[in-house]
Every structure is written in structure tokens, then in C-alpha cells.
Amino acid sequence: MWALQKAWYRTFQFVFNYGARCLNWRKPQRVEGAGSILKIPEICAKENVKKPMIVTDPGLMKAGVALKVMAVLQDNKIPFALYDTVEPNPSVDTVNAIQALYFKEGCDGFIAIGGGSAMDAAKAAGARVVFPNRTVNQMGGLLRVWKKIPMFIAVPTTAGTGSETTIAALITDTKTHHKYAIMDLHLIPRYAVLDAQLTIGLPPHITSTTGMDALTHAIEGFLCWTYSTKESTRFAMEATKLIFENLELVYKDGSNVEARQQMQIASFKAGFAFTRAGVGNVHAIAHTLGGLYGTPHGLANAVILPIVLEDYGPAVYEKLAQLSELTGIKTDGSEEEKAKALIREIYDMNARMGIPTGFDFIQDEDVEQMITWALKECNPLYPVPVLYNRERYRRVIKKIRTQKKMTIGASCTGCTACARLCPVSAISGERGSRHVINACRCVECGVCGRACPQGCITDGKGKEIAKLARTMWPKPQIDKDVCSACGICVDICTAGALKLSLPKYQGDIDVSVELDEPKSCIGCSMCADNCPIGAIVMEKEEVQAL
């Protein structure tokens, strides 16, 4: 039976390959460079857009990134409507709300600002604008949007999703938790504005996961056995090289504008590569995690990519060896040795950027649903180097799963101490009821365990966190020569340990942030992670036994 299925899948891919070459593939017009958002009014005038709808998310509004684009429009007296509540995995409800507001405000184009979520939501809403009587679900799948959507300008604020150049919009059905794709050439944005300055304040953990998302696009597009063209293959290789050269640079130094620009170009090229050549089993599994658990797509891809590449085995050694040589990871030895060196470097790069090796939140009862969704998404459409059946997916998902490391026990009284002190808001629950830890957000700092009056928070071995020896919390070290006193770190410090220093004398402009309450600092590193100019680093102290 499986042999017949494989024959059908490969036949479909062979035939679709020739059909795809008859389609009108195109790339967005690329507008790039620092300050390129200033060209958006010129684009609107050229395309006769009188009132665009801006689609973005709350985080970018709070950070002021979306406001920069809005200011450009206001300075040029261009009216606009705003939808700024797109969630990390956009839902059908969000798409419908954007469409309704678009009609209500009389808009005639879209400006999507953000990562893949904002762009995907706006794309799907654009499809609903031209087909108001069709549901989002009815347009899910391949080539079901048969009309040109309104003028679409994509302004990526990350370097990874590639949504600024793809045919896809990933949407989650809130009722079934199924994350699926609308894929049609009409969804490709008309313009991609790649302004590296918009990514300067991107926190390191988002920089890393979105960058690994782009690497996944490039490698999966490169490995697909058909659909690819000379251009898509070249773009995939160029993107891979750029990512290995620049991702860790921007992870360590977010203010490196040149490296940020190279990452945006890499994301664009990787996006085009996988749009034309296809993706594979990594994405098929990652989408199930996004739908079921809200796992950020880049994080899911980063974790799954090396696991699937290892599972492919000899089928991908030749191509991975080419990438290993291209990036200089290993240039001598056999194809197998070079391919394995590349996979090992992906594991190591993940580790250097704090990306986990697996997920501990996948429930036993969800595994079969994940397999069903992945099979439906991948086969027969994706031209993967190795076709997966149910057993193969089950084997890979088992490798992705890890044991829980921190657990809130049944003795929890719901006092909320853990939730109130958690520096990354990874704990939720109503007062008086047992709280739970969101493994996607938890950084295992142990603050919750030491704050719990019941001692009911344990590690993966069942040991009470509060009784374990620990490294004293690292403290922020602020370079006052670099600090611009923007106040972002003060605003996000959950412990109230930071403050803006007062001028020493009248007219003094040498103002910076200082650690006001060292004993209150819990070493969560939120200040360092979110400092837009890299003025804060965390320094660990000696081990202290409790």
C-alpha cells in the first residue's frame, strides 16, 4: 500500500512540476536600505493607493516600530486605517476582522508591518476582500484565490519568515486548532520594503529563531527534488551562506546594521527559494505545533530542522555536502562527513543562541493528530527528498519530544506568587486554582520555585527547585557610555530594579540607566535582551548553595 502511495505522490510532483512552470511566478519589487520606509508614500502614489490599511501587532506598536511607518504616511498627508492586534499565529477571526475594517474604512490597499503573522493575516484578508462571500477555510490549499488582491506592501521587521515574497498565508482555525496554508500566486506582495533599521531593536531570541526560520526555508527549498529552477537554487544557496555569515553577528550585536541588512536580503531570497521550490517535512511538523500549542514558527523550525536532516540520512548527503563546502563548515572528506558536519553546526548554532533541542509540551493524545495534519499538508504536494508515512512521522516526533524540566505540583494553592514574579510571564492560572507553566516561554530561571510558599515546583527529576544549589542570578552591567537612557529596560523590569539616573547638575545631558535595587534583580536578562543598542550585558557570579 505504501509503495503505491509513494508512486502516486512522486507522479503528482512530476506532473505538477511542469504545470507550475506555466504559471506567472514573480518576485515583489524590492526596496531596500536604511530608511527605505521613506519611499512608501512614493509607492502609494505610483500605485494610486489613497487610503491603505496598516496591519501589525501589539508588540510592534508598543515598541514604536509601526509608529515610524505611520509617521511617514502622516507627514505625507496620506490617511490610513489601522488594525494592530494580530496575534502570533493569526486566526480566522482575525482575518475576518481585518476584512470588515477594510470595507468599513474604505481602504484600497494593504501595508503589512511585522513578521510572518501580520503579513499572513493581511494576505488572507486581501483574499477575503476580493472574495467577500467565501470563507477563509474555503480558500485554504493550493491556487484557490483566483483574483488579484489589493495593492500589498510588505514591511518585514524580522529577518526570517520570508512572507514578504511568498505565495502563502498561514492561518489557524480557532475551533480545530488546525494551522493550514492558503497558497496562491495572487498573494505575493507587490513590494517588499527591507529597511534594516526596523530590525535594530529585535530581541536576541526573536533574531535567532526568525533567522533559523530563514535557514530552514533555504535548506528545504534546496533539498526539494523538483519544482526548483536555476534561480531558486541560486537564491537558496546564497541565502544559506548569508545566514551562516551574519545570523550570530546580529544575535550578539543587534545594532550591526550591515549584518541586519544582509539577513533581510537572506530572508527575502530564502522566501523566494522555498516559494518556487517548495518546503518539506520540517514545515509540515512545525505547523502542527503552531496550531496545537501556539509555538512560534521560527522556534519550531529551528528545533526540528537538524532532527529531520539527520533522519533523511544518505538521501541528502550530496546536497548538504554542497552547502557545507559553500559555507566553509567542512570542505574536505566524504559527502557524508561534510553533510554531518553541516547538521552538527546547525545543532551547535542553536545551542549558542539558546535554542532548545526539543519540546516538552507535546501531549501523547495529540501525536496522532499531528501526524494526520502533517501527512495531509506534505503529501502529495511537497517534493521532499524522503517521503514520510505515519510511522516515519511518529519516529521523528518522538525525537522532538523531551521530558518536562519544571512542573507545578498538585499541592499548588493558586496563591499567584509564581505568576507574579515570573520574569517572562510563562505561568498562568486563576487565583485559588493550580497554576501551569507554558513550556514555550519558560526559560527555567527557577524564580518561581524559590518564590513558591508551598514548595510545589520541581525540576524534571522531581526535586524541589527551592532546595537546589544554584548559580547566583547574573546582574545587568550597563555601559553608560553606550546607554541612551531610552528607558525601555526600566519599563520592562518586572522587579523594579532599574531606574534612570538624575542629572548631576543643571543642563547635564549625560543621563543613563542604573541598577537601583541589586537585591531586587532576579537576573532574568529581559533588560539585556530588549536593549535596542546593546548597552546591557549579564554577568554571572559565583555558585551559591542553599
Side-chain angles (χ1 to χ4, degrees), residues 503-521:
K504 295 179 180 178
Y505 53 86
Q506 188 175 4
D508 186 7
I509 60 171
D510 186 18
V511 182
S512 64
V513 172
E514 61 184 29
L515 185 60
D516 184 46
E517 294 289 344
K519 292 183 179 179
S520 298
C521 177

Side-chain angles (χ1 to χ4, degrees), residues 21-34:
R21 296 179 190 277
C22 300
L23 298 175
N24 182 29
W25 295 93
R26 61 178 177 82
K27 295 190 292 292
Q29 294 187 47
R30 201 165 84 191
V31 181
E32 63 185 65

Side-chain angles (χ1 to χ4, degrees), residues 441-470:
R441 296 185 62 87
C442 178
V443 294
E444 300 178 71
C445 65
V447 169
C448 58
R450 293 182 173 86
C452 179
Q454 302 298 316
C456 65
I457 302 182
T458 58
D459 66 4
K461 297 180 180 179
K463 294 183 179 179
E464 188 180 329
I465 298 292
K467 295 180 180 179
L468 297 177
R470 65 173 172 87

Side-chain angles (χ1 to χ4, degrees), residues 36 138 225 245 273 287 296 313 342 369 507 537:
S36 55
Q138 288 172 337
W225 77 281
E245 290 174 345
H287 290 156
L342 180 75
Q369 181 65 79
V537 296

Side-chain angles (χ1 to χ4, degrees), residues 274-295:
F274 90 80
T275 291
R276 187 62 186 87
V279 284
N281 289 302
V282 177
H283 273 74
I285 299 171
H287 290 156
T288 70
L289 297 178
L292 284 169
Y293 308 109
T295 311

Side-chain angles (χ1 to χ4, degrees), residues 33-64:
S36 55
I37 59 171
L38 297 175
K39 298 179 182 178
I40 292 177
E42 180 184 329
I43 297 172
C44 289
K46 177 182 177 182
E47 300 295 342
N48 199 31
V49 175
K50 304 296 185 183
K51 186 177 182 180
M53 164 164 275
I54 292 177
V55 178
T56 189
D57 63 64
L60 291 174
M61 288 295 292
K62 184 177 179 180

